[in-house]
């Protein structure tokens, strides 16, 4: 079991500055951790990341954690690593789509929309939200990449989202995403 490959999730957050990704990937390379999936972004003045990595052996996770602890102090970041527990019973199938939501900023818009998506068994694969200054004040913009299960259609989903109490003043659209071969 000691020589088995291991997938792990690494998350990190800290003040944004140049060199974070380079320092982290240098550590990962030194520990032969292959990046399988990643999301990294700047949120306000913070830099946040989450990675799925594959380690050459299960016993490598402790050495990598020690190096991430050292990197925390050097980069003023907080890092967490944990083994990835696969969930083979959970499969996502359906129509991929992009849901856009915009309107006057107020507390609760994200919950309002995501709760309805949950109620409809729509799986969110990516969500990005921002508040920007507009002519009429603060404007909330949210983009959600999701998978809509059959038999729910994209047109019916859009109607369902627009009919959510509290969503009447939001601009909501649902558009199909096409698979693009790489």
């Amino acid at each position: 079991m000691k020589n088995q490959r291991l997938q792990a999730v690494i998350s990190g957050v800290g003040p944004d500055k140049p060199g974070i990704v380079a320092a982290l990937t240098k550590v990962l390379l030194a520990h032969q951790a292959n990046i399988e999936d990643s999301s990294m972004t700047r949120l306000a003045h913070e830099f946040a990341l989450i990675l799925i990595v594959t380690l050459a052996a299960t016993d490598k996770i402790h050495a990598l954690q020690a190096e991430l602890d050292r990197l925390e102090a050097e980069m003023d970041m907080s890092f967490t690593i944990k083994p990835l527990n696969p969930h083979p019973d959970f499969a996502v199938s359906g129509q991929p789509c992009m849901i856009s939501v915009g309107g006057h900023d107020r507390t609760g818009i994200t919950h309002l929309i995501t709760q309805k998506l949950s109620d409809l068994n729509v799986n969110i694969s990516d969500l990005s939200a921002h508040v920007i200054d507009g002519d009429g004040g603060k404007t909330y913009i949210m983009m959600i990449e999701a998978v809509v299960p059959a038999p729910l259609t994209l047109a019916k989903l859009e109607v369902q989202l627009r009919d959510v109490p509290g969503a009447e003043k939001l601009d909501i659209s649902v558009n199909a995403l096409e698979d693009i071969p790489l």
Side-chain angles (χ1 to χ4, degrees), residues 18-155:
I20 294 170
V21 176
L24 175 61
T25 56
K26 181 178 179 180
V27 168
L28 296 176
L29 179 61
H31 289 270
Q32 299 175 5
N34 187 45
I35 300 172
E36 303 284 336
D37 202 354
S38 69
S39 181
M40 301 182 208
T41 191
R42 184 174 192 247
L43 300 168
H45 301 289
E46 295 289 303
F47 188 76
L49 60 90
I50 187 165
L51 311 168
I52 304 293
V53 299
T54 299
L55 301 168
T58 57
D59 60 346
K60 300 285 185 186
I61 196 165
H62 300 295
L64 180 54
Q65 179 65 66
E67 192 67 16
L68 290 174
D69 291 345
R70 183 201 58 76
L71 190 60
E72 279 186 355
E74 180 182 314
M75 299 301 294
D76 193 24
M77 298 274 297
S78 295
F79 290 104
T80 303
I81 185 169
K82 73 175 196 105
L84 180 65
N85 296 317
H87 300 284
D89 295 337
F90 181 70
V92 177
S93 64
Q95 171 69 52
C97 71
M98 181 63 72
I99 302 164
S100 62
V101 179
H104 180 72
D105 184 40
R106 64 182 189 276
T107 302
I109 296 173
T110 304
H111 175 70
L112 184 76
I113 299 301
T114 59
Q115 182 62 59
K116 185 62 176 183
L117 293 174
S118 176
D119 294 346
L120 295 169
N121 206 30
V122 174
N123 191 62
I124 297 171
S125 52
D126 192 47
L127 186 150
S128 180
H130 304 279
V131 176
I132 60 171
D133 289 322
D135 293 338
K138 301 279 185 187
T139 301
Y140 179 82
I141 299 170
M142 178 169 58
M143 300 297 289
I144 302 170
E145 190 175 321
V147 178
V148 179
L152 183 61
T153 66
L154 300 185

